[in-house]
Amino acid sequence: MKSYRKELWFDIPSRRAFINITPRVEECLRESGVKEGLVLVNAMHITASVFINDNESGLHQDYEDWLEELAPHDPIGHYRHNLTGEDNGDAHLKRQIMGRESVVAVTNSQLDFGPWEQIFYGEFDGRRRKRVLVKIIGE
Amino acid sequence: MKSYRKELWFDIPSRRAFINITPRVEECLRESGVKEGLVLVNAMHITASVFINDNESGLHQDYEDWLEELAPHDPIGHYRHNLTGEDNGDAHLKRQIMGRESVVAVTNSQLDFGPWEQIFYGEFDGRRRKRVLVKIIGE
Amino acid sequence: MKSYRKELWFDIPSRRAFINITPRVEECLRESGVKEGLVLVNAMHITASVFINDNESGLHQDYEDWLEELAPHDPIGHYRHNLTGEDNGDAHLKRQIMGRESVVAVTNSQLDFGPWEQIFYGEFDGRRRKRVLVKIIGE
């Protein structure tokens, strides 16, 4: 069994953003030499997500608006978590909707994707350095 | 390490539906010959879900109503994604709530499930051919 | 390939609770002897979750309030599922938001976690014995 690990680093200048990380995960897969197996891609921070959906900017704006409706950032005092001095209570909730991780099949040395699947890093509390883990196992 | 791959195809005549795919995944597991390992089952389309819950029609109607509340289909113009000519903006949001994939343990050649766990395909933008990927790795 | 399996049992005296199970999963990992691989941790019941987030009690109260807003327990008659005689329709919805499972990388015999990641059991219909499955594969 082969095993591969890499951290992808991000320093998003805004509070929230969606970044297409598919090319970086594909590069990891090439480096790993794994032909058949599984790739785990997960946010290593608890106010960020890794998810798979469409690379379409209108949809990303829809996600932004919808998440802000379901778990608004303001008023900050609405979240008990923010009593710790943080202002990111909403980010912990948004991340639950969008998910922590994606697991992707590897077949013939490729990410085994449907026609529109792309992997995104979802940042909900940016403006500092944060990481995504790529772990690949297989043969 | 053994590795197995199969696509399950669906052509749902309605816009939305929940389909129990447990027997089809069990058949894949038998074909794979894997005794100990992991099964990844994921929607290959970004307006559909694979999730694990109860095989109970009342609950499925509850999901339908709840998802329609959280991310209504109408008015179509509410979603920027629909400016691309699509009318499935809501389906991309519903899929995030229900999830893209499930990972299931394989123990003694069986899906290692609790008493009520069943795997469902959740369709949110049907009336065309779409796929689910079953990938099994193990020994 | 090594393979390991253990059930963790819970009997939560209240309807809802969040329990940090990280130490128990770490103990499983030590027992498994796996150095490189993947850990799957999943609720075996469909009204419970396994998820990764912050070990902060204010945040857990925020989750409790937010989930109750998104999928209120009362009125019980609001859910068709409760026509079966159950009163846990809401619990099946809450579990979809928080997720069934987490997959965690194993690197150098450790859970490969970011600085604040902890694994939680989320109970939404307690007061009876329920289980979580820990499955580890790797080498």
Side-chain angles (χ1 to χ4, degrees):
Chain A
M1 201 195 78
K2 278 183 185 167
S3 155
Y4 170 96
R5 175 193 197 274
K6 191 163 209 169
E7 292 177 1
L8 310 180
W9 285 84
F10 301 88
D11 195 346
I12 309 287
S14 53
R15 187 182 296 277
R16 290 191 291 273
F18 299 116
I19 311 287
N20 188 346
I21 60 174
T22 316
R24 294 176 73 174
V25 177
E26 284 169 338
E27 192 188 328
C28 290
L29 182 53
R30 278 192 296 274
E31 282 178 17
S32 76
V34 169
K35 291 178 185 168
E36 295 289 325
L38 295 177
V39 183
L40 167 68
V41 190
N42 69 263
M44 299 186 78
H45 297 257
I46 53 192
T47 49
S49 286
V50 168
F51 68 95
I52 289 174
N53 216 296
D54 199 358
N55 192 19
E56 199 278 299
S57 62
L59 176 65
H60 297 179
Q61 189 60 49
D62 290 333
Y63 280 138
E64 162 69 15
D65 293 352
W66 181 59
L67 292 168
E68 196 57 22
E69 237 177 76
L70 292 180
H73 183 264
D74 295 307
I76 286 166
H78 177 65
Y79 300 100
R80 281 182 187 78
H81 181 58
N82 290 339
L83 295 173
T84 62
E86 301 277 2
D87 69 351
N88 63 9
D90 65 307
H92 290 271
L93 277 56
K94 286 171 168 123
R95 120 75 168 251
Q96 290 307 118
I97 298 280
M98 299 304 278
R100 165 187 180 261
E101 78 218 12
S102 288
V103 179
V104 182
V106 178
T107 304
N108 290 332
S109 305
Q110 305 289 323
L111 298 178
D112 197 336
F113 268 160
W116 301 101
E117 290 190 283
Q118 296 279 295
I119 312 175
F120 291 90
Y121 175 66
E123 177 61 85
F124 306 116
D125 184 36
R127 301 180 291 192
R128 53 201 174 91
R129 278 166 61 75
K130 293 167 79 171
R131 285 173 289 163
V132 161
L133 179 65
V134 180
K135 183 87 183 187
I136 307 175
I137 67 164
E139 274 186 352
Chain B
M1 202 196 76
K2 277 182 186 168
S3 154
Y4 171 94
R5 175 194 198 273
K6 192 165 208 168
E7 292 177 2
L8 310 179
W9 284 85
F10 301 88
D11 195 348
I12 309 288
S14 53
R15 187 182 296 275
R16 290 191 290 274
F18 299 117
I19 311 288
N20 188 345
I21 61 173
T22 317
R24 295 176 72 173
V25 177
E26 285 169 337
E27 193 188 329
C28 290
L29 182 52
R30 278 192 298 275
E31 282 178 17
S32 76
V34 169
K35 292 178 182 167
E36 296 289 325
L38 296 176
V39 183
L40 168 68
V41 190
N42 68 265
M44 298 184 80
H45 297 257
I46 52 192
T47 50
S49 285
V50 168
F51 67 96
I52 288 174
N53 215 296
D54 200 358
N55 192 19
E56 201 277 299
S57 61
L59 176 66
H60 297 179
Q61 189 59 51
D62 291 334
Y63 280 137
E64 162 68 15
D65 293 353
W66 181 59
L67 292 168
E68 196 55 23
E69 237 176 77
L70 292 180
H73 183 264
D74 296 305
I76 287 167
H78 177 64
Y79 299 101
R80 280 182 188 77
H81 181 57
N82 290 340
L83 295 174
T84 62
E86 300 277 1
D87 70 350
N88 64 8
D90 65 307
H92 290 272
L93 277 55
K94 287 169 167 125
R95 119 73 167 255
Q96 289 307 118
I97 299 279
M98 299 304 277
R100 167 187 178 260
E101 77 217 12
S102 288
V103 179
V104 181
V106 178
T107 304
N108 291 328
S109 306
Q110 306 288 323
L111 298 178
D112 197 336
F113 267 161
W116 300 101
E117 290 188 284
Q118 297 279 294
I119 312 175
F120 291 89
Y121 175 66
E123 176 63 83
F124 306 116
D125 185 36
R127 301 181 292 191
R128 54 200 173 93
R129 280 167 60 75
K130 292 166 81 172
R131 287 172 289 162
V132 161
L133 179 65
V134 181
K135 185 87 183 189
I136 307 175
I137 67 164
E139 275 186 351
Chain C
M1 201 197 77
K2 279 183 184 168
S3 155
Y4 171 96
R5 176 195 195 272
K6 191 163 210 170
E7 291 177 2
L8 309 179
W9 284 84
F10 301 88
D11 195 347
I12 309 289
S14 54
R15 188 181 297 275
R16 290 191 290 274
F18 299 117
I19 311 288
N20 188 344
I21 61 173
T22 318
R24 295 175 73 175
V25 177
E26 285 170 336
E27 194 188 327
C28 290
L29 182 53
R30 279 192 296 275
E31 283 177 19
S32 76
V34 169
K35 292 178 183 167
E36 294 291 324
L38 296 177
V39 183
L40 168 68
V41 190
N42 70 266
M44 299 185 78
H45 297 257
I46 52 193
T47 50
S49 285
V50 168
F51 67 96
I52 289 174
N53 216 297
D54 199 359
N55 192 20
E56 200 277 300
S57 61
L59 176 65
H60 297 180
Q61 189 59 51
D62 291 333
Y63 280 138
E64 162 68 14
D65 294 353
W66 182 59
L67 292 168
E68 196 57 20
E69 236 176 78
L70 292 180
H73 182 265
D74 295 307
I76 287 167
H78 177 66
Y79 300 100
R80 282 181 186 79
H81 181 58
N82 291 339
L83 294 173
T84 62
E86 301 276 2
D87 69 349
N88 63 9
D90 65 306
H92 290 271
L93 277 55
K94 287 169 167 123
R95 120 73 167 254
Q96 290 308 119
I97 299 280
M98 298 304 277
R100 166 188 180 258
E101 78 217 12
S102 287
V103 179
V104 182
V106 178
T107 303
N108 291 330
S109 304
Q110 307 288 323
L111 297 178
D112 197 336
F113 267 161
W116 301 101
E117 290 189 284
Q118 296 278 294
I119 312 174
F120 291 89
Y121 175 66
E123 177 62 85
F124 306 115
D125 185 35
R127 300 180 293 190
R128 53 198 174 91
R129 280 166 59 75
K130 291 166 80 171
R131 286 173 288 163
V132 160
L133 179 64
V134 181
K135 184 87 182 189
I136 307 175
I137 67 164
E139 276 186 351

